[in-house]
Amino acid sequence: MGASVRGPEHLKDGRPNQDAWLSRLARGAALAVVCDGLGSRPHSAVGSRAACRAVADAVRHWADGRDAPPELLLRLIHALWNMRVHQTGRDESATTCLFAVVTKDGRLLLAQLGDGLVMLKTAKGTMTLEPSSERFGNATTGLGIASDVREWRLHLDPNFTGAASILLATDGVADDLLPEKRADFLNFLVTQYGPRPATARARAIAKQLRDWPTPRHRDDKTVAVLWTDATTEAPP
């Protein structure tokens, strides 16, 4: 589940949402993607949506290859994204990209290129992918900027089992979450919205993002969540 809303600044200026998100649940894998087009690039909204589709297409192939390393998936994402934005231009369409995928053979992969937050919560605790607090100013990387797949942050568990929840958030949300409150925020999303029908979930989460309590926060806001528990059945 997830949602994406335009920030107050984009609403005021009549500009499109530069964030995008996508989820897929199929026999091969469960996937969630969140992307944040760089605000300084004229076609960042195109880039973020193209990135979501590129990840979904690439994961479909990667999930079928049991021993395929993550590096091959990342290279395919870059190639597919470049093809999708060749008319608008790589630099003009630059975007961050965060995703989480769980395959039917038990692989869990978390990946992040650029800003935002990826958090995995299990019975053993939490782990996160996020930019270093020591990065300079607003410098970031992303599709259209990165020159090497080693710029991605990755977490791979080849034999993942058990109950878990995963949060993906663009920096419009992540920057306002205190580290000690992140797990509570994820729990809130799962318990408050998880039981609802899919359409109702999206509307309710979008309203929560529009009513974001941080004053003067102008950025677009996007979250996506993957979750399961010990009694959840695999998709048919």
Side-chain angles (χ1 to χ4, degrees), residues 86-121:
H86 76 279
Q87 291 185 327
T88 55
R90 295 175 65 249
D91 184 71
E92 290 81 1
S93 309
T95 179
T96 69
C97 187
L98 296 75
F99 67 89
V101 58
V102 184
T103 65
K104 62 183 178 181
D105 57 15
R107 287 172 289 166
L108 166 68
L109 178 65
L110 309 177
Q112 180 187 51
L113 184 66
D115 295 339
L117 173 68
V118 181
M119 184 175 73
L120 169 67
K121 182 177 181 294

Side-chain angles (χ1 to χ4, degrees), residues 47-218:
S48 62
R49 286 153 181 75
C52 287
R53 295 192 294 272
V55 172
D57 290 345
V59 162
R60 187 173 68 252
H61 295 286
W62 183 76
D64 288 337
R66 181 177 179 84
D67 298 321
E71 178 184 347
L72 294 181
L73 171 60
L74 301 181
R75 292 188 182 281
L76 184 54
I77 290 170
H78 281 259
L80 292 173
W81 181 81
N82 282 326
M83 291 179 64
R84 289 182 179 275
V85 301
H86 76 279
Q87 291 185 327
T88 55
R90 295 175 65 249
D91 184 71
E92 290 81 1
S93 309
T95 179
T96 69
C97 187
L98 296 75
F99 67 89
V101 58
V102 184
T103 65
K104 62 183 178 181
D105 57 15
R107 287 172 289 166
L108 166 68
L109 178 65
L110 309 177
Q112 180 187 51
L113 184 66
D115 295 339
L117 173 68
V118 181
M119 184 175 73
L120 169 67
K121 182 177 181 294
T122 68
K124 297 179 181 178
T126 63
M127 67 81 55
T128 62
L129 301 179
E130 58 187 317
S132 168
S133 60
E134 299 177 356
R135 65 193 176 99
F136 178 74
N138 292 322
T140 189
T141 187
L143 295 169
I145 298 175
S147 59
D148 195 307
V149 295
R150 287 175 292 185
E151 294 185 44
W152 287 78
R153 303 175 190 89
L154 298 177
H155 171 78
L156 175 66
D157 186 336
N159 298 292
F160 182 78
T161 59
S165 52
I166 301 169
L167 172 68
L168 308 175
T170 58
D171 57 1
V173 172
D175 286 354
D176 286 347
L177 294 177
L178 297 173
E180 64 271 19
K181 296 295 185 180
R182 291 169 173 173
D184 292 338
F185 180 66
L186 177 53
N187 285 338
F188 170 79
L189 292 174
V190 172
T191 58
Q192 183 73 17
Y193 304 125
R196 304 186 187 189
T199 302
R201 288 177 192 161
R203 286 197 301 262
I205 296 172
K207 183 179 186 304
Q208 181 78 19
L209 296 177
R210 291 190 187 97
D211 296 339
W212 197 248
T214 303
R216 297 182 297 279
H217 200 294
R218 301 176 296 174

Side-chain angles (χ1 to χ4, degrees), residues 29-48:
L31 167 71
V33 192
V34 162
C35 299
D36 181 359
L38 273 62
S40 60
R41 311 303 167 96
H43 299 296
S44 58
V46 173
S48 62

